[in-house]
Amino acid sequence: MKFKIGMRTFKTGLSVFFCILVSILLKRETYVVAAITTVFTLREDMENTLRYGKHRIIGNVMGAIMSIAVIAIFNWLGRTELVQLIFIPVIITLMIALLASLGYHEGTVGACATLLTIVFMIPANQSYGYAFARVVDSFIGMGIALLVNYVIPCKVGKKRFIRTGKSEEEVRAEGFNPEK
């Protein structure tokens, strides 16, 4: 068994470090959402990192909005087991279909997790504030993933050097040798 820490793994750990640090400095209640978002968001290049981050944020926003709809239904019909049994699966099904139709299918897991967390784990009087905080923390996590992926030089790829947009041959001609 060969143990190796690759660049993406290193950048993920570094991103989690910065999520925790920023959350502490900003006195956020928790840094779990920011850290999870950065882990899900950070990818092999900026293009994919941006895409996954966008999907994650859209998913979290959609989950937060739909949780408000579920809470409104609870306030209207009561929070009985029958209401939960019928409306939560219906709302989740509609939310997944909506995200997929908008092209944000990679945000569905985050959306469902956000909705279920707010509805089942957060006290009713704190749910709106938690929904907003979760979205803010998602932006923190995505921002850090993007920043780390931009600042730390990327590996020379098959077709182009991701950070500069130049081909591998152009980068080598300028004196960069990834084998050194």
Side-chain angles (χ1 to χ4, degrees):
M1 179 171 106
K2 184 177 176 184
F3 182 78
K4 177 184 166 194
I5 296 177
M7 185 56 83
R8 182 172 165 198
T9 302
F10 171 75
K11 291 193 298 185
T12 300
L14 187 62
S15 294
V16 169
F17 168 83
F18 282 122
C19 283
I20 295 169
L21 179 64
V22 166
S23 296
I24 290 169
L25 293 174
L26 295 177
K27 300 192 183 321
R28 304 293 299 156
E29 190 173 321
T30 180
Y31 36 79
V32 69
V33 173
I36 289 171
T37 298
T38 209
V39 169
F40 282 127
T41 299
L42 199 130
R43 300 296 163 162
E44 62 278 358
D45 57 39
M46 283 299 288
E47 182 181 328
N48 283 315
T49 297
L50 187 58
R51 183 174 59 106
Y52 275 86
K54 189 166 95 173
H55 284 242
R56 177 88 179 159
I57 287 190
I58 299 278
N60 280 346
V61 169
M62 183 68 72
I65 290 168
M66 296 305 255
S67 72
I68 292 168
V70 170
I71 292 165
I73 291 169
F74 288 169
N75 289 339
W76 180 44
L77 298 174
R79 194 180 181 122
T80 66
E81 290 174 346
L82 182 61
V83 170
Q84 292 179 48
L85 185 62
I86 293 169
F87 285 98
I88 291 174
V90 168
I91 296 285
I92 285 181
T93 302
L94 294 173
M95 181 175 65
I96 292 170
L98 179 61
L99 285 166
S101 70
L102 295 172
Y104 294 108
H105 57 277
E106 291 156 340
T108 58
V109 172
C112 293
T114 297
L115 183 146
L116 293 169
T117 300
I118 292 168
V119 169
F120 289 125
M121 298 187 72
I122 306 302
N125 64 339
Q126 297 174 9
S127 54
Y128 298 117
Y130 179 82
F132 179 75
R134 185 161 178 126
V135 171
V136 169
D137 291 337
S138 293
F139 275 103
I140 290 170
M142 182 181 110
I144 288 172
L146 288 169
L147 186 64
V148 166
N149 221 1
Y150 178 77
V151 170
I152 296 179
C154 295
K155 186 177 178 180
V156 174
K158 296 174 188 147
K159 301 265 184 205
R160 63 188 182 106
F161 189 63
I162 304 298
R163 190 162 172 209
T164 65
K166 296 178 182 178
S167 70
E168 185 174 349
E169 292 75 28
E170 290 171 316
V171 172
R172 286 183 195 273
E174 292 175 359
F176 177 77
N177 184 349
E179 275 76 42
K180 286 187 178 180

